[in-house]
């Protein structure tokens, strides 16, 4: 089940309803624990954070099987949508192997919602008619990321973007991305700690480091980032006000006048 990004209100109605019926909930570090407060269920934290693995994936998968064989209704709760870099396929395949019935409850993925809540629509008529969501987490055996060749109307959304920024920015340049193409980092999107830093491809690594950004963070690369200023000027929605304290917004003016 997907819990949505950040704000606990962004879980789906279906997710919320199914959660109330759970006997056991296995949840990740990106899940806001306010969602779990009043549940009559056993809560098991199986969170993983980059470099600090709490429980290996194989163990999590076996736990699901274990609880299912005990006849429990088990919810595997993950941030965002469970099928976007959420290991859902592996877990579901294992359940299928044992003939354990399961249901996938989609969630609102940070890949789309977090940019939106920072004033960046990932598509925009005339500016972007394609979106590529990719993991910036490198596999040890293959340091190359699946970055497509530059196309001016494609928005890139890089998840797990912070640790490897020094690796992926040269890869963008090598694939034809202009050095001054805007990049927005959004940290802790849809929470009171949301922070946004707007920079460019060539300065992304230095600016991310200088700003001391923390996880979870994603990066949006493309011309749609330039819409943020105009949207921010007029946006008065509760979300905008709720998440982003004006002091936490750092726009490098000289680089984002697109
Ligand atoms: N299944 C999740 C993604 C899991 S990968 C989803 O659909 O959203 C974890 C990455 O997602 C993080 O490293 C970060 O890049 C991104 N992410 C998740 N929640 C986020 C948030 N609230 N703000 C910014 N990025 C977030």
């Amino acid at each position: 089940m997907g819990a949505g990004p950040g704000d606990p209100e962004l879980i789906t109605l279906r997710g919320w309803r199914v959660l109330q019926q759970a006997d056991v909930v296995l949840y990740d570090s990106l899940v806001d624990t306010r969602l779990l407060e009043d549940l009559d269920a056993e809560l098991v934290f199986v969170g993983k954070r980059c470099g600090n693995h709490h429980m290996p994936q194989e163990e999590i998968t076996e736990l699901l099987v274990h609880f299912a064989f005990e006849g429990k209704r088990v919810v595997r709760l993950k941030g965002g949508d469970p099928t976007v870099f959420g290991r859902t396929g592996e877990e579901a395949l294992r359940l299928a192997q044992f003939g354990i019935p399961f249901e996938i409850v989609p969630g609102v993925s940070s890949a789309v919602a977090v940019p939106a809540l920072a004033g960046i629509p990932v598509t925009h008529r005339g500016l972007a008619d394609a979106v590529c969501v990719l993991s910036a987490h490198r596999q040890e055996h293959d340091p190359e990321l699946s970055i497509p060749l530059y196309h001016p109307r494609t928005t890139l959304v890089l998840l797990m973007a912070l640790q490897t920024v020094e690796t992926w920015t040269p890869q963008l340049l090598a694939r034809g991305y202009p050095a001054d193409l805007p990049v927005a980092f959004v940290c802790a999107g849809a929470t009171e700690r949301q922070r946004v830093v707007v920079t460019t491809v060539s300065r992304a690594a230095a600016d991310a480091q200088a700003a001391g950004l923390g996880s979870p963070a994603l990066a949006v690369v493309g011309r749609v980032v330039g819409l943020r200023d105009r949207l921010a000027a007029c946006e008065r929605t509760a979300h905008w006000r709720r998440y982003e304290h004006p002091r936490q917004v750092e726009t490098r003016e000289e680089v984002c006048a697109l």
Side-chain angles (χ1 to χ4, degrees):
M1 178 189 298
D7 189 339
E9 287 203 347
L10 294 175
I11 194 168
T12 63
L13 279 178
R14 176 157 193 84
W16 180 244
R17 194 141 38 87
V18 171
L19 199 52
Q20 309 307 310
Q21 297 161 1
D23 297 317
V24 186
V25 181
L26 276 64
Y27 66 101
D28 279 356
S29 36
L30 285 177
V31 170
D32 189 311
T33 49
R34 281 175 289 179
L35 280 171
L36 310 173
E37 262 164 21
D38 297 317
L39 297 182
D40 186 17
E42 184 180 341
L43 305 177
V44 185
F45 177 68
V46 295
K48 290 182 282 183
R49 277 269 110 120
C50 217
N52 176 22
H53 282 231
H54 187 80
M55 190 182 281
Q57 180 60 44
E58 299 70 35
E59 235 172 273
I60 298 172
T61 311
E62 291 323 305
L63 259 188
L64 285 176
V65 173
H66 165 80
F67 284 123
F69 274 130
E70 284 189 340
K72 305 257 173 73
R73 280 167 303 190
V74 188
V75 167
R76 173 76 178 100
L77 191 60
K78 306 179 186 210
D81 181 273
T83 62
V84 179
F85 305 121
R87 316 285 292 256
T88 291
E90 286 157 68
E91 294 176 3
L93 281 171
R94 188 79 175 137
L95 298 178
Q97 241 180 9
F98 285 105
I100 297 167
F102 64 87
E103 168 187 355
I104 293 175
V105 183
V108 175
S109 180
S110 66
V112 175
V114 164
L117 293 170
I120 304 165
V122 290
T123 69
H124 187 82
R125 205 172 173 80
L127 269 189
D129 52 20
V131 190
C132 175
V133 177
L134 63 146
S135 162
H137 185 69
R138 277 182 313 159
Q139 303 296 319
E140 249 155 47
H141 56 274
D142 185 9
E144 284 287 297
L145 302 176
S146 309
I147 298 172
L149 289 178
Y150 177 62
H151 188 293
R153 288 197 315 278
T154 298
T155 303
L156 287 192
V157 180
L158 291 121
L159 300 188
M160 301 169 258
L162 269 190
Q163 315 283 335
T164 55
V165 55
E166 285 185 14
T167 315
W168 57 258
T169 42
Q171 290 185 25
L172 289 179
L173 294 171
R175 285 168 174 73
Y177 290 68
D180 62 352
L181 190 68
V183 174
F185 288 97
V186 188
C187 296
T191 74
E192 299 75 22
R193 290 164 288 113
Q194 177 167 312
R195 280 184 71 192
V196 180
V197 169
V198 178
T199 172
T200 60
V201 169
S202 60
R203 295 179 42 168
D207 283 348
Q209 212 202 357
L213 298 181
S215 291
L218 55 74
V220 189
V221 181
R223 294 193 293 167
V224 286
V225 171
L227 292 168
R228 182 184 144 81
D229 276 353
R230 275 183 280 157
L231 292 177
C234 298
E235 182 155 15
R236 290 287 179 273
T237 65
H239 278 140
W240 185 275
R241 296 291 155 213
R242 180 144 37 114
Y243 298 138
E244 224 171 77
H245 193 283
R247 272 188 293 119
Q248 294 181 328
V249 180
E250 296 148 51
T251 300
R252 315 272 148 147
E253 293 295 346
E254 74 274 23
V255 294
C256 90
L258 254 214

